[in-house]
Amino acid sequence: MNKLNLCESEYRFACIVWEHEPLGSGDLVKHCHEKLGWKKSTTYTVLKKLCEKGVLKNENAIVSALVKREQVQKFESEQFLSKTFDGSLPQFIASFMSDKKLSSAEAEELKKLIDSFEG
C-alpha cells in the first residue's frame, strides 16, 4: 500500500496538520471538529491510521507531518493522469481547457511554467 494514496477524508485531515503543524493533539481535535465536523474519536482514529502509514507522527501529543503536501499532490496528480489520460499531459490539458478561456496573464504564466521545465 502506497502511503501517499490518501482517501478524501485523510487528505482533508492531513491538510489541517500541514496548515497548523506542529500542533497539539487537543488543538487538532478542535480544528477537526470545526472544519470537518468530526468527534474526538474519529480524529484519533484517522490520526492513528496516518501515523501507521508514515504520513504523520504523534510524539508527546504533538502532531506533525512526515510527508509534505506537495509529495501527496504530485502522487495524486500522476495517478490521475495515468488512469484517466494514459499519462498524457497534453490530453489532460486539452480536455480540461475545452470549454475555458485563459486571460492573457494566465496564458503567459503557463508559458513561463512550461518553459521552465524544458530540457
Side-chain angles (χ1 to χ4, degrees):
M1 173 173 61
N2 191 314
K3 71 179 179 181
L4 300 180
N5 188 14
L6 305 181
C7 69
E8 178 69 23
S9 60
E10 291 171 337
Y11 181 78
R12 291 172 51 215
F13 179 85
C15 284
I16 292 170
V17 174
W18 289 320
E19 288 174 30
H20 301 284
E21 70 176 317
L23 75 160
S25 57
D27 288 335
L28 180 59
V29 168
K30 289 177 189 172
H31 285 296
C32 288
H33 179 72
E34 291 169 5
K35 294 182 180 182
L36 305 174
W38 288 4
K39 295 181 179 179
K40 181 179 179 178
S41 59
T42 304
T43 298
Y44 283 118
T45 298
V46 176
L47 175 59
K48 181 181 177 192
K49 184 175 181 181
L50 291 180
C51 287
E52 289 171 353
K53 284 177 100 170
V55 175
L56 303 177
K57 70 176 178 179
N58 182 11
E59 291 181 351
N60 301 319
I62 302 296
V63 179
S64 58
L66 295 172
V67 173
K68 295 180 180 178
R69 180 191 316 241
E70 294 78 14
Q71 290 173 275
V72 173
Q73 290 171 333
K74 182 179 185 296
F75 173 81
E76 291 290 337
S77 299
E78 289 171 349
Q79 292 296 308
F80 176 76
L81 196 63
S82 177
K83 175 183 169 189
T84 311
F85 296 96
D86 294 323
S88 172
L89 184 57
Q91 279 184 349
F92 165 74
I93 292 171
S95 176
F96 184 77
M97 296 302 300
S98 65
D99 62 350
K100 294 177 178 49
K101 296 288 183 193
L102 292 177
S103 69
S104 295
E106 289 171 323
E108 188 59 36
E109 185 177 346
L110 285 174
K111 287 176 191 174
K112 287 179 182 176
L113 182 63
I114 290 168
D115 289 345
S116 74
F117 287 100
E118 281 186 325

